[in-house]
């Protein structure tokens, strides 16, 4: 898959090859980015992220994201990394942005 995924964790930023069908969190864990997470099923929101680029390259938000995030957050480009699956090749930049 072509493209580039830039993952900005708490202290680590990495540029990795995006894998179609995998979540942003799976990428972060696989590549050793310190991305916060707890439940991995869309309820704790620790993995929340802001898409600085490439939000349109992700699958549509899951039911869990729609429950956990406000419509305004989704519109602004916030996603849950454990739910957000890469759909299309391209350039994506994701910043782990927790509430606290
Ligand atoms: S890890 Fe809990 S919502 Fe993603």
């Amino acid at each position: 898959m072509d493209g580039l995924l830039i993952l900005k964790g708490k202290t680590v930023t990495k540029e990795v090859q995006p894998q179609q069908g995998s979540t942003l969190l799976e990428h972060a864990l696989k590549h050793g980015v310190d991305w916060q997470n707890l439940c991995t099923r869309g309820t704790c929101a620790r993995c929340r992220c802001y898409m600085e680029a490439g939000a349109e390259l992700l699958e549509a938000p899951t039911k869990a994201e729609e429950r956990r995030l406000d419509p305004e957050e989704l519109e602004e480009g916030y996603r849950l990394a454990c739910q957000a699956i890469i759909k299309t090749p391209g350039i994506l930049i994701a910043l782990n942005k927790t509430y606290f």
Side-chain angles (χ1 to χ4, degrees):
M1 186 174 180
D2 291 332
L4 180 70
L5 168 61
I6 300 176
L7 294 162
K8 299 181 174 179
K10 200 170 165 61
T11 60
V12 177
T13 291
K14 279 199 180 158
E15 299 186 3
V16 307
Q17 191 68 34
Q19 300 294 325
Q20 208 163 4
S22 292
T23 66
L24 295 173
L25 181 62
E26 284 165 348
H27 285 81
L29 298 178
K30 182 173 166 196
H31 294 283
V33 177
D34 56 345
W35 201 280
Q36 296 200 44
N37 69 94
L38 209 59
C39 71
T40 68
R41 59 190 166 88
T43 54
C44 74
R46 289 283 281 274
C47 67
R48 189 178 83 134
C49 64
Y50 176 67
M51 296 306 296
E52 295 182 346
E56 71 284 1
L57 304 176
L58 298 170
E59 296 279 3
T62 63
K63 289 265 177 292
E65 287 180 280
E66 284 173 359
R67 269 195 300 269
R68 191 65 182 80
L69 299 174
D70 293 335
E72 295 76 29
E73 290 180 282
L74 287 166
E75 199 150 307
E76 284 168 19
Y78 287 94
R79 297 292 301 263
L80 297 177
C82 69
Q83 301 292 302
I85 293 171
I86 296 179
K87 179 176 67 175
T88 314
I91 308 287
L92 302 103
I93 306 174
L95 167 70
N96 190 193
K97 209 159 191 301
T98 53
Y99 291 110
F100 305 103

